[in-house]
Coordinates of all heavy atoms in Angstrom, one line a residue:
Chain D
M105 N 3.3 45.0 72.4 CA 4.3 44.0 72.7 C 5.7 44.5 72.1 O 5.8 44.8 70.9 CB 3.9 42.7 72.0 CG 4.5 41.5 72.7 SD 3.9 40.0 71.8 CE 2.3 39.7 72.6
P106 N 6.7 44.6 73.0 CA 8.0 45.1 72.5 C 8.7 44.1 71.5 O 8.4 42.9 71.6 CB 8.8 45.2 73.8 CG 7.9 44.9 74.9 CD 6.7 44.2 74.4
D107 N 9.5 44.6 70.7 CA 10.3 43.8 69.7 C 11.3 42.9 70.5 O 11.7 43.3 71.6 CB 11.1 44.7 68.8 CG 10.2 45.0 67.6 OD1 9.1 44.3 67.4 OD2 10.5 46.0 66.9
G108 N 11.8 41.9 69.8 CA 12.9 41.1 70.4 C 13.2 39.9 69.6 O 12.6 39.7 68.5
A109 N 14.1 39.1 70.0 CA 14.5 37.9 69.3 C 13.4 36.9 69.3 O 12.4 37.0 70.0 CB 15.8 37.3 70.0
A110 N 13.6 35.9 68.5 CA 12.5 34.9 68.3 C 12.0 34.3 69.6 O 10.8 34.1 69.8 CB 13.0 33.8 67.3
W111 N 13.0 33.9 70.5 CA 12.6 33.2 71.7 C 11.7 34.1 72.6 O 10.7 33.6 73.2 CB 13.8 32.8 72.5 CG 14.7 33.9 73.1 CD1 15.8 34.4 72.5 CD2 14.5 34.5 74.4 NE1 16.3 35.4 73.3 CE2 15.5 35.5 74.5 CE3 13.6 34.4 75.4 CZ2 15.6 36.3 75.6 CZ3 13.7 35.3 76.5 CH2 14.7 36.2 76.6
A112 N 12.1 35.4 72.6 CA 11.3 36.3 73.4 C 9.9 36.6 72.8 O 8.9 36.6 73.5 CB 12.0 37.7 73.5
Q113 N 9.9 36.7 71.5 CA 8.6 36.9 70.8 C 7.7 35.7 71.0 O 6.5 35.8 71.3 CB 8.8 37.1 69.3 CG 9.4 38.4 68.9 CD 8.5 39.6 69.4 OE1 7.4 39.7 68.9 NE2 8.9 40.3 70.4
T114 N 8.3 34.5 71.0 CA 7.5 33.3 71.2 C 7.0 33.3 72.7 O 5.8 33.0 72.9 CB 8.4 32.0 71.0 OG1 9.0 32.1 69.7 CG2 7.6 30.7 71.1
A115 N 7.8 33.6 73.6 CA 7.4 33.6 75.0 C 6.2 34.6 75.2 O 5.2 34.3 75.9 CB 8.6 34.0 75.9
R116 N 6.3 35.7 74.6 CA 5.3 36.8 74.8 C 4.0 36.4 74.0 O 2.9 36.5 74.6 CB 5.8 38.1 74.2 CG 6.9 38.7 75.2 CD 7.4 40.0 74.6 NE 8.4 40.7 75.3 CZ 8.2 41.6 76.4 NH1 6.9 41.8 76.7 NH2 9.2 42.1 77.0
T117 N 4.1 35.8 72.8 CA 2.9 35.4 72.1 C 2.2 34.3 72.8 O 1.0 34.3 72.9 CB 3.3 35.0 70.7 OG1 4.3 35.9 70.1 CG2 2.1 34.9 69.7
E118 N 3.0 33.4 73.3 CA 2.3 32.2 74.0 C 1.6 32.7 75.3 O 0.6 32.3 75.7 CB 3.4 31.2 74.4 CG 3.8 30.4 73.2 CD 4.9 29.3 73.5 OE1 5.3 29.2 74.7 OE2 5.3 28.7 72.5
A119 N 2.3 33.7 75.9 CA 1.7 34.3 77.2 C 0.3 35.0 76.8 O -0.6 34.9 77.5 CB 2.6 35.2 77.8
L120 N 0.3 35.7 75.7 CA -0.9 36.4 75.3 C -2.0 35.4 75.0 O -3.1 35.6 75.3 CB -0.6 37.2 74.0 CG -1.8 38.0 73.5 CD1 -2.5 38.9 74.5 CD2 -1.4 38.9 72.3
A121 N -1.6 34.2 74.3 CA -2.6 33.2 74.1 C -3.1 32.6 75.4 O -4.3 32.4 75.5 CB -1.9 32.1 73.2
R122 N -2.2 32.4 76.4 CA -2.7 32.0 77.7 C -3.7 33.0 78.3 O -4.7 32.6 78.8 CB -1.5 31.9 78.7 CG -0.7 30.6 78.6 CD 0.2 30.4 79.8 NE 1.3 31.4 80.0 CZ 2.4 31.4 79.4 NH1 2.6 30.5 78.4 NH2 3.3 32.3 79.6
L123 N -3.3 34.2 78.2 CA -4.2 35.3 78.8 C -5.5 35.2 78.1 O -6.6 35.3 78.8 CB -3.5 36.6 78.6 CG -4.4 37.8 78.9 CD1 -4.8 37.8 80.4 CD2 -3.7 39.2 78.6
R124 N -5.5 35.1 76.8 CA -6.8 35.2 76.0 C -7.7 33.9 76.4 O -8.9 34.0 76.4 CB -6.6 35.2 74.5 CG -6.1 36.6 74.1 CD -6.2 36.8 72.6 NE -6.2 38.2 72.3 CZ -5.4 38.8 71.4 NH1 -4.4 38.2 70.8 NH2 -5.5 40.1 71.2
A125 N -7.0 32.8 76.6 CA -7.8 31.6 77.0 C -8.4 31.7 78.4 O -9.5 31.2 78.6 CB -6.8 30.4 76.9
M126 N -7.7 32.4 79.3 CA -8.2 32.5 80.7 C -9.1 33.7 80.8 O -10.0 33.6 81.6 CB -7.0 32.7 81.6 CG -6.0 31.6 81.7 SD -4.7 31.9 82.9 CE -3.5 32.8 82.0
G127 N -8.7 34.8 80.2 CA -9.5 36.0 80.4 C -8.9 36.7 81.7 O -8.5 36.0 82.6
L128 N -9.0 38.0 81.8 CA -8.6 38.7 83.0 C -9.5 38.3 84.1 O -10.7 38.0 83.9 CB -8.5 40.2 82.7 CG -7.3 40.7 82.0 CD1 -7.5 42.1 81.5 CD2 -6.0 40.5 82.8
P129 N -9.0 38.4 85.4 CA -9.9 38.1 86.5 C -11.1 39.0 86.6 O -11.0 40.2 86.3 CB -9.0 38.2 87.7 CG -7.8 38.9 87.2 CD -7.7 38.7 85.8
A130 N -12.2 38.5 87.0 CA -13.4 39.3 87.2 C -14.0 39.0 88.6 O -13.5 38.1 89.3 CB -14.4 38.9 86.1
R131 N -14.9 39.8 89.0 CA -15.4 39.8 90.4 C -15.9 38.5 90.8 O -15.8 38.1 92.0 CB -16.5 40.8 90.4 CG -16.2 42.0 91.4 CD -17.4 42.8 91.6 NE -17.7 42.8 93.0 CZ -18.6 43.6 93.5 NH1 -19.3 44.4 92.8 NH2 -18.8 43.6 94.8
R132 N -16.5 37.7 89.9 CA -17.2 36.5 90.4 C -16.2 35.3 90.4 O -16.5 34.2 90.9 CB -18.3 36.1 89.4 CG -19.4 37.1 89.4 CD -20.7 36.4 89.8 NE -21.7 37.5 90.1 CZ -22.3 38.3 89.2 NH1 -22.0 38.1 87.9 NH2 -23.2 39.2 89.5
D133 N -14.9 35.5 90.0 CA -14.0 34.4 90.0 C -13.7 34.0 91.4 O -13.5 34.8 92.3 CB -12.6 34.8 89.4 CG -12.8 35.1 87.9 OD1 -13.9 35.0 87.4 OD2 -11.8 35.4 87.2
E134 N -13.7 32.7 91.7 CA -13.5 32.2 93.0 C -12.2 32.7 93.6 O -12.1 33.0 94.8 CB -13.5 30.6 92.9 CG -13.3 29.9 94.3 CD -14.5 30.2 95.2 OE1 -15.6 30.5 94.7 OE2 -14.3 30.1 96.5
Y135 N -11.1 32.8 92.8 CA -9.8 33.1 93.3 C -9.8 34.6 93.7 O -8.8 35.1 94.2 CB -8.7 32.8 92.3 CG -7.4 32.3 92.9 CD1 -7.4 31.4 94.0 CD2 -6.2 32.7 92.4 CE1 -6.2 31.0 94.5 CE2 -5.0 32.3 92.9 CZ -5.0 31.4 94.0 OH -3.8 30.9 94.5
W136 N -10.8 35.4 93.3 CA -10.9 36.8 93.5 C -12.1 37.1 94.4 O -12.6 38.2 94.3 CB -10.9 37.6 92.2 CG -9.5 37.5 91.5 CD1 -9.1 36.4 90.7 CD2 -8.4 38.4 91.6 NE1 -7.8 36.7 90.3 CE2 -7.4 37.9 90.8 CE3 -8.3 39.6 92.3 CZ2 -6.1 38.5 90.7 CZ3 -7.0 40.3 92.1 CH2 -6.0 39.7 91.4
K137 N -12.5 36.2 95.2 CA -13.7 36.3 96.0 C -13.5 37.5 97.0 O -14.5 38.2 97.2 CB -13.9 35.0 96.7 CG -15.2 35.0 97.4 CD -15.4 33.5 97.9 CE -16.7 33.5 98.8 NZ -16.9 32.2 99.4
Y138 N -12.4 37.7 97.5 CA -12.2 38.7 98.6 C -11.5 40.0 98.1 O -11.3 40.9 98.9 CB -11.4 38.1 99.7 CG -12.0 36.8 100.3 CD1 -11.3 35.6 100.2 CD2 -13.2 36.8 100.9 CE1 -11.8 34.4 100.7 CE2 -13.8 35.7 101.4 CZ -13.1 34.5 101.3 OH -13.6 33.3 101.8
T139 N -11.1 40.0 96.9 CA -10.4 41.2 96.3 C -10.9 41.5 95.0 O -11.0 40.7 94.1 CB -8.9 40.8 96.2 OG1 -8.3 40.5 97.5 CG2 -8.1 42.0 95.6
R140 N -11.4 42.8 94.9 CA -12.0 43.2 93.6 C -10.9 43.5 92.6 O -10.0 44.3 92.8 CB -12.8 44.5 93.8 CG -14.1 44.2 94.5 CD -15.0 45.4 94.5 NE -15.3 45.8 93.1 CZ -16.4 46.5 92.8 NH1 -17.2 46.9 93.8 NH2 -16.7 46.8 91.6
P141 N -10.9 42.8 91.4 CA -9.8 42.9 90.5 C -9.9 44.1 89.5 O -9.0 44.5 88.8 CB -9.8 41.6 89.7 CG -11.2 41.2 89.8 CD -11.8 41.7 91.0
D142 N -11.1 44.8 89.5 CA -11.4 45.7 88.4 C -10.3 46.8 88.2 O -9.9 47.0 87.1 CB -12.7 46.4 88.5 CG -13.4 46.3 89.8 OD1 -12.9 45.4 90.6 OD2 -14.4 46.9 90.0
T143 N -9.8 47.4 89.3 CA -8.9 48.5 89.1 C -7.5 47.9 88.6 O -6.7 48.7 88.1 CB -8.7 49.3 90.4 OG1 -8.4 48.4 91.4 CG2 -9.9 50.1 90.7
L144 N -7.3 46.6 88.8 CA -6.1 46.0 88.3 C -6.1 45.6 86.9 O -5.1 45.5 86.2 CB -5.7 44.8 89.2 CG -5.5 45.0 90.7 CD1 -5.4 43.7 91.4 CD2 -4.2 45.9 90.9
T145 N -7.4 45.5 86.4 CA -7.5 45.0 85.0 C -8.0 46.0 84.0 O -8.0 45.8 82.8 CB -8.5 43.8 85.0 OG1 -9.8 44.3 85.5 CG2 -8.1 42.6 85.8

Side-chain angles (χ1 to χ4, degrees):
Chain D
M105 207 179 275
D107 275 342
W111 67 267
Q113 288 300 295
T114 306
R116 287 178 181 275
T117 315
E118 285 177 4
L120 179 56
R122 277 197 294 282
L123 171 64
R124 285 192 158 127
M126 297 183 272
L128 280 169
R131 246 189 120 171
R132 296 238 167 71
D133 293 3
E134 183 62 24
Y135 216 43
W136 291 84
K137 190 169 173 184
Y138 305 114
T139 298
R140 289 189 60 156
D142 15 349
T143 53
L144 297 172
T145 58

